Amino acid sequence: MKALYQTEAIATGGRTGTAATTDGNLKVDLVTAKELGGPGGAGTNPEQLFAAGYSACFLGALKFVASKEKVKIPDDTTVAAKVGIGPRDDGQGFGLTLAIKVTIPGLDRAQAEELAAKAHVVCPYSNLAKVGADVDVSVA
């Protein structure tokens, strides 16, 4: 695949530390959730960041699909992404659970379900969740 856009973020301290994009547009304090043995409190965590990115990306895919279908998506349309983390069944680490809930005010349910299904095909986060991705792991 030829990437049309790339970005880079660097984390320090793991789940309790900081993460920032190299262009300086995003910087967040990271705090491990209490449910995972951390202090919780002020800060965010990787699951929250993934949920925010997934919901925004899915909404973009929904708007893209709707425009192709000549359907007007209201400005108050929302996508909620729920991300969970827990031990994998194979005992080899951790996995994520994902759920997407689309709310399109004023659109009939059948049409909203059809658009959501098509957005699920178009959205790169959904594609990642379904088929994975090639990851180049290297050491500096």
Side-chain angles (χ1 to χ4, degrees):
M1 178 188 88
K2 178 185 172 203
L4 299 176
Y5 169 77
Q6 290 184 342
T7 188
E8 182 179 38
I10 298 173
T12 303
R15 287 183 160 271
T16 301
T18 61
T21 55
T22 54
D23 63 8
N25 286 330
L26 175 73
K27 182 174 183 187
V28 293
D29 291 325
L30 301 171
V31 177
T32 304
K34 284 184 180 181
E35 297 84 349
L36 298 176
T44 190
N45 60 59
E47 293 72 38
Q48 291 170 328
L49 293 168
F50 192 92
Y54 195 179
S55 62
C57 190
F58 198 96
L59 183 52
L62 187 68
K63 288 180 174 185
F64 174 81
V65 167
S67 72
K68 295 277 188 197
E69 305 266 331
K70 306 279 192 260
V71 175
K72 171 72 172 109
I73 296 293
D75 291 339
D76 57 348
T77 296
T78 61
V79 172
K82 188 180 285 188
V83 177
I85 184 171
R88 293 191 333 229
D89 292 339
D90 65 7
Q92 297 296 308
F94 296 88
L96 298 175
T97 60
L98 306 171
I100 292 287
K101 184 163 99 178
V102 176
T103 303
I104 309 174
L107 200 64
D108 120 326
R109 183 177 187 86
Q111 190 174 29
E113 287 174 345
E114 180 182 334
L115 290 174
K118 289 179 179 179
H120 188 50
V121 172
V122 170
C123 177
Y125 275 71
S126 289
N127 189 56
L128 175 68
K130 289 184 283 191
V131 300
D134 291 331
V135 179
D136 178 17
V137 177
S138 63
V139 175

